[in-house]
Each structure stands twice: as structure tokens, then as C-alpha cells.
Amino acid sequence: MLFSSLSDYGQNVISSEDMAKVLAFLSRDDLEQIECGRHEIDGERIFANVMELETAPADKKPYEAHRRYADVHFVISGEEHVGLAPVAELEPAGEFSEKDDFGLYGEPERESWVTLRAGDLVVTPPCDAHKPGCCGEAGPARLKKVCVKILVA
């Protein structure tokens, strides 16, 4: 799944070669046992951050975005709700860190949501801010996920 508007699609291009590397990593037989932390796939071009966390209500989580990397959010176990909104429509909530390729943003006037369960993924390119790690109506719960970073700019 790729979430995008047609006007932003040109910023969302991920090569099929890069996506094949991501999908090969996510298809590993040992993904449920993989340790948290960074896992290199193709050096600084493509790498995975594996994490375990407690999801939180959406009003407790900020929107974030990147300028150089697209994210592939993949759920190993649990359920995650991810908010999506165009960066161009958001106000920054502080300085963008070029070093970390990371910025926080305020709440959007319009947003979309996707629910990810084990085995599901969503791709968030630089033009789309995202609010990961949110819980659903059942409340906070454990989540194990992978966020694969793909250099696109």
C-alpha cells in the first residue's frame, strides 16, 4: 500500500529494486525473534529499525516527517493505527533536524488513517507526515514493528 495524492506522486518513487530488498528483509523466517535495533539492508540507503513499544492514544502522539527517507511501517505483532497527512498542509512544531532527517508537525485539518495488523505495511514518503504507534478503541497494547528507511532524496 502506498498512500499519496496524485500531485505528490513524483516525490514518492521507490525503485522496484529497493522495494525488493525491503520485502526480502520483511519476509525473513526469523522476523518474530529479531532483536530490536538497527539492521542494515543496503548500508545508509536502506536499513531497518526494529522496535517494541506500547501504542498510545492518537492525541498523545505527534505527526512526524522526513525529507530524505521514505518509511515502510511493517507490523510483526500487535496492531497499529497510523495517521497520514500531507506535510505541505502542516505547520512545523519546532526545527527540522537535517542530521536526523526528522521533524515534528502540528495537527492537520485533514488526515487519513490506516490500521496495520501483523503482516501489514504502509509506505510513507517524504511528502506525507505520519503519526505512528497509535492505539485503537481497545486502548494501548504491545506492538512489535519494523520501520524500514529507504533513501529517496
Side-chain angles (χ1 to χ4, degrees), residues 2 11-14 19 22 45-47 66-73 101 122-128 130 147-153:
L2 174 69
Q11 300 176 50
N12 301 334
V13 177
I14 297 171
M19 200 61 192
V22 171
R45 288 188 64 258
I46 306 171
F47 58 91
H66 316 289
R67 294 182 180 161
R68 296 181 10 237
Y69 286 90
D71 287 349
V72 178
H73 302 267
D101 189 42
V122 66
V123 179
T124 57
C127 63
D128 289 320
H130 47 284
C147 181
V148 180
K149 310 289 276 181
I150 306 170
L151 185 65
V152 294

Side-chain angles (χ1 to χ4, degrees), residues 13-26 28 37-50 68-72 146-153:
V13 177
I14 297 171
S15 75
S16 57
E17 180 182 308
D18 286 349
M19 200 61 192
K21 291 175 184 178
V22 171
L23 296 175
F25 179 85
L26 296 177
R28 295 168 48 146
R38 181 179 166 133
H39 299 265
E40 293 210 7
I41 298 171
D42 188 3
E44 289 297 312
R45 288 188 64 258
I46 306 171
F47 58 91
N49 292 319
V50 178
R68 296 181 10 237
Y69 286 90
D71 287 349
V72 178
V146 180
C147 181
V148 180
K149 310 289 276 181
I150 306 170
L151 185 65
V152 294

Side-chain angles (χ1 to χ4, degrees), residues 12-151:
N12 301 334
V13 177
I14 297 171
S15 75
S16 57
E17 180 182 308
D18 286 349
M19 200 61 192
K21 291 175 184 178
V22 171
L23 296 175
F25 179 85
L26 296 177
S27 297
R28 295 168 48 146
D29 290 336
D30 65 343
L31 206 55
E32 292 216 13
Q33 290 78 36
I34 196 167
E35 290 185 25
C36 291
R38 181 179 166 133
H39 299 265
E40 293 210 7
I41 298 171
D42 188 3
E44 289 297 312
R45 288 188 64 258
I46 306 171
F47 58 91
N49 292 319
V50 178
M51 60 198 84
E52 290 187 64
L53 57 112
E54 184 90 3
T55 58
D59 64 354
K60 303 290 185 209
K61 305 286 281 186
Y63 268 91
E64 63 183 64
H66 316 289
R67 294 182 180 161
R68 296 181 10 237
Y69 286 90
D71 287 349
V72 178
H73 302 267
F74 178 82
V75 171
I76 297 172
S77 63
E79 181 177 285
E80 177 181 32
H81 295 258
V82 181
L84 305 162
V87 171
E89 296 178 13
L90 301 178
E91 291 295 323
E95 291 293 317
F96 188 90
S97 170
E98 295 293 341
K99 177 182 175 271
D100 298 323
D101 189 42
F102 183 84
L104 296 176
Y105 294 83
E107 290 297 310
E109 287 189 26
R110 69 180 182 113
E111 62 190 345
S112 297
W113 287 86
V114 62
T115 300
L116 303 177
R117 294 174 184 88
D120 292 343
L121 63 90
V122 66
V123 179
T124 57
C127 63
D128 289 320
H130 47 284
K131 183 187 280 201
C134 298
C135 62
E137 292 179 13
R142 293 299 301 159
L143 171 69
K144 185 170 185 181
K145 70 176 283 186
V146 180
C147 181
V148 180
K149 310 289 276 181
I150 306 170
L151 185 65

